[in-house]
Short mmCIF file of all heavy atoms in Angstrom, two decimals:
data_model
loop_
_atom_site.label_atom_id
_atom_site.label_comp_id
_atom_site.label_asym_id
_atom_site.label_seq_id
_atom_site.Cartn_x
_atom_site.Cartn_y
_atom_site.Cartn_z
N GLU A 384 46.07 13.25 -9.48
CA GLU A 384 46.63 14.47 -10.05
C GLU A 384 48.04 14.69 -9.53
O GLU A 384 48.33 14.48 -8.37
CB GLU A 384 45.76 15.67 -9.69
CG GLU A 384 44.36 15.61 -10.26
CD GLU A 384 44.34 15.84 -11.76
OE1 GLU A 384 45.37 16.29 -12.29
OE2 GLU A 384 43.31 15.56 -12.39
N SER A 385 48.92 15.09 -10.41
CA SER A 385 50.29 15.38 -9.99
C SER A 385 50.29 16.62 -9.11
O SER A 385 49.45 17.49 -9.25
CB SER A 385 51.17 15.63 -11.21
OG SER A 385 50.73 16.76 -11.92
N PRO A 386 51.26 16.71 -8.17
CA PRO A 386 51.31 17.85 -7.25
C PRO A 386 51.38 19.19 -7.97
O PRO A 386 50.91 20.18 -7.46
CB PRO A 386 52.58 17.58 -6.45
CG PRO A 386 52.79 16.10 -6.52
CD PRO A 386 52.28 15.71 -7.87
N SER A 387 51.94 19.19 -9.19
CA SER A 387 52.10 20.47 -9.89
C SER A 387 50.78 21.12 -10.22
O SER A 387 50.68 22.34 -10.32
CB SER A 387 52.90 20.26 -11.18
OG SER A 387 52.22 19.35 -12.04
N LEU A 388 49.73 20.30 -10.37
CA LEU A 388 48.42 20.85 -10.71
C LEU A 388 47.78 21.56 -9.53
O LEU A 388 46.87 22.36 -9.70
CB LEU A 388 47.49 19.73 -11.21
CG LEU A 388 47.90 19.07 -12.54
CD1 LEU A 388 46.92 17.96 -12.86
CD2 LEU A 388 47.96 20.09 -13.66
N THR A 389 48.22 21.25 -8.34
CA THR A 389 47.60 21.84 -7.16
C THR A 389 48.46 22.88 -6.47
O THR A 389 48.05 23.46 -5.49
CB THR A 389 47.29 20.73 -6.14
OG1 THR A 389 48.52 20.16 -5.68
CG2 THR A 389 46.43 19.64 -6.76
N MET A 390 49.66 23.10 -6.98
CA MET A 390 50.56 24.03 -6.33
C MET A 390 50.03 25.46 -6.34
O MET A 390 50.30 26.23 -5.43
CB MET A 390 51.93 23.98 -7.00
CG MET A 390 52.72 22.71 -6.70
SD MET A 390 53.03 22.53 -4.94
CE MET A 390 54.17 23.89 -4.68
N THR A 391 49.29 25.82 -7.39
CA THR A 391 48.78 27.19 -7.47
C THR A 391 47.86 27.51 -6.31
O THR A 391 48.00 28.54 -5.66
CB THR A 391 48.01 27.38 -8.80
OG1 THR A 391 48.91 27.11 -9.88
CG2 THR A 391 47.49 28.80 -8.90
N HIS A 392 46.93 26.59 -6.03
CA HIS A 392 46.01 26.82 -4.91
C HIS A 392 46.76 26.84 -3.59
O HIS A 392 46.53 27.69 -2.74
CB HIS A 392 44.95 25.72 -4.89
CG HIS A 392 44.08 25.69 -6.11
ND1 HIS A 392 44.44 24.99 -7.23
CD2 HIS A 392 42.91 26.30 -6.38
CE1 HIS A 392 43.50 25.15 -8.15
NE2 HIS A 392 42.56 25.92 -7.66
N SER A 393 47.68 25.88 -3.41
CA SER A 393 48.41 25.79 -2.15
C SER A 393 49.26 27.03 -1.91
O SER A 393 49.25 27.59 -0.82
CB SER A 393 49.29 24.54 -2.16
OG SER A 393 49.99 24.42 -0.95
N ALA A 394 49.99 27.45 -2.94
CA ALA A 394 50.85 28.62 -2.80
C ALA A 394 50.03 29.87 -2.52
O ALA A 394 50.41 30.72 -1.72
CB ALA A 394 51.68 28.80 -4.06
N SER A 395 48.88 29.98 -3.19
CA SER A 395 48.04 31.16 -3.01
C SER A 395 47.55 31.28 -1.58
O SER A 395 47.68 32.33 -0.95
CB SER A 395 46.83 31.09 -3.97
OG SER A 395 45.96 32.17 -3.75
#
Side-chain angles (χ1 to χ4, degrees):
E384 296 288 347
S385 63
S387 60
L388 295 178
T389 65
M390 287 300 292
T391 301
H392 298 87
S393 181
S395 176

